[in-house]
Amino acid sequence: MTSRKEEIKENLAQVEARIDAALAQSGRTRDEITLIAVTKFFPASDAMYLYDLGLRHFGENRDSEGAQKSAELPADIRWHFQGQIQSRKIPSILGWAQTIHSLDSRDHAEKSSRFLSAGNLEREFFIQVNLEPDRSDRGGVAKSEIRGFYESIRNLPAIKVVGLMCVLPIGVDPRGAFADVANLARELELPSLSLGMSGDFEAAILAGATHIRVGSSILGSRPEPA
Ligand SMILES: *Cc1c(COP(=O)(O)O)cnc(C)c1O
């Protein structure tokens, strides 16, 4: 029987092989890609195995879970928050996460800026693009509103907007959708792109992703949330 650690090691090797294949196809190099292991709903022990295997970027969707895991795990990990932001959770999220991938509200940006400025902190933010304009419950700013949104928050103190992020709607062609988001980022001169997940990170790398957020390909199918 293989241990959980062996299983994770194998899965990670397969993900790295898929990354390498996409890099070869796109003429890019491994140092251009940050692999974020999405550990949501998995125990801290799994994240620790990944730490032992060399990973230093971890992603969480919920404040309480991220706060708890980040407190248990080594301090040289960079934590990424990619869940929907709730206003009252902002101070807590910004306490443990160094990069926020899901900024989509001016109120949240202003509240974050006030909180960070007061504590002499700075954080990186991605603006989330909503690729389903008729589904505002999905989170993200509609493509047509990205520029205005970016202009309205880009000069807020302590907020460093680095790029755009998206989650592909089911059934959408990844190449076209990722290319749209990449073009938007280029127009705004934003250097980073947080694009791929387990099912589509090769297409994301081909489209220019700098950050890929991979959960189930590394850790297996997710347990029910606690
Ligand atoms: C859960 C999640 C991921 C990881 O998804 P997998 O398909 O398991 O790789 C990436 N990004 C976001 C925003 C998520 O919620």
Side-chain angles (χ1 to χ4, degrees), residues 38 40 61 82 165 167 197-198 213-216 222:
V38 176
K40 66 179 179 215
N61 283 48
Q82 69 223 351
M165 174 274 212
V167 176
M197 301 173 37
S198 286
R213 312 176 310 270
V214 182
S216 48
R222 263 185 289 284

Side-chain angles (χ1 to χ4, degrees), residues 3-15:
S3 69
R4 179 68 175 146
K5 189 170 186 175
E6 281 299 314
E7 182 186 346
I8 289 175
K9 188 178 172 184
E10 294 254 304
N11 290 346
L12 180 62
Q14 280 173 22
V15 165

Side-chain angles (χ1 to χ4, degrees), residues 183-199:
N183 284 333
L184 268 176
R186 195 171 308 119
E187 283 168 27
L188 301 176
E189 296 178 33
L190 289 168
S192 299
L193 282 170
S194 173
L195 298 185
M197 301 173 37
S198 286

